[in-house]
Amino acid sequence: MNRFFLSVALFAALAVGVGFLTSGTEYFDWQIAAGLFALALAGEGLRLWIRRGRTKARQSSEI
């Protein structure tokens, strides 16, 4: 679980950085930053889901 939170924090920082870099001088580009962060969350969630599914399958086959 620590890896999940570390990855989410890293991707949040990257999304904010990209939002600042693409915004120009007028405003922060929330759409790009939020979209990148949403993709990162979806990817990390998928990774956790696959990992837990494999763990459950391995446990059920050992019984």
Side-chain angles (χ1 to χ4, degrees), residues 23-51:
S23 66
T25 59
E26 295 182 13
Y27 63 93
F28 182 76
D29 202 349
W30 287 104
Q31 290 82 13
I32 291 177
L36 288 174
F37 188 65
L39 283 173
L41 279 180
E44 286 297 313
L46 181 65
R47 185 186 63 81
L48 278 176
W49 182 62
I50 289 172
R51 181 179 238 179

Side-chain angles (χ1 to χ4, degrees), residues 1-62:
M1 223 33 164
N2 286 339
R3 181 179 176 190
F4 174 75
F5 289 120
L6 184 63
S7 297
V8 168
L10 175 71
F11 284 123
L14 286 173
V16 168
V18 169
F20 275 125
L21 290 174
T22 59
S23 66
T25 59
E26 295 182 13
Y27 63 93
F28 182 76
D29 202 349
W30 287 104
Q31 290 82 13
I32 291 177
L36 288 174
F37 188 65
L39 283 173
L41 279 180
E44 286 297 313
L46 181 65
R47 185 186 63 81
L48 278 176
W49 182 62
I50 289 172
R51 181 179 238 179
R52 287 183 185 215
R54 287 182 182 172
T55 303
K56 286 181 182 178
R58 190 176 313 138
Q59 288 175 352
S60 66
S61 66
E62 291 177 359

